[in-house]
Amino acid sequence: MAAAGYSALTGLSSQEPTISPSPDATTVDLSTPDGIADAFVNHGVTLASVKGITDDDLESVYAEAYGHLAEGRAQEAMEDLMLLVTHDP
């Protein structure tokens, strides 16, 4: 993702959430509130994985936040950092 950051990642299209488990993994049900809660609490599913945000995308957001902090732009860094902690705690 070329221009990461909070605004770029929050603009991702909303799709039906899908998780492709490995052959030995437990299938999670993301179609109900209870299934979503179970996936997050018991199976390590993150909001980033549900939205299809990759680790590389998250690293880009972190780098951008770090750059904002280095430039003294704390508010912009805070927006990026909030995305990180809410999408991949």
Side-chain angles (χ1 to χ4, degrees):
M1 180 171 277
Y6 178 78
S7 58
L9 290 182
T10 55
L12 293 174
S13 65
S14 60
Q15 305 170 19
E16 183 65 32
T18 58
I19 302 287
S20 300
S22 62
D24 60 335
T26 303
T27 302
V28 294
D29 177 14
L30 300 178
S31 65
T32 66
D34 286 341
I36 293 169
D38 178 60
F40 282 100
V41 174
N42 298 316
H43 300 286
V45 173
T46 65
L47 189 54
S49 65
V50 171
K51 287 185 166 185
I53 300 171
T54 67
D55 288 344
D56 288 341
D57 293 336
L58 295 170
E59 286 289 330
S60 295
V61 173
Y62 176 80
E64 192 168 313
Y66 183 85
H68 289 155
L69 281 175
E71 296 168 358
R73 297 168 28 203
Q75 184 59 42
E76 291 175 46
M78 182 64 83
E79 291 172 5
D80 293 334
L81 294 170
M82 290 296 293
L83 179 130
L84 291 174
V85 300
T86 58
H87 283 72
D88 195 31

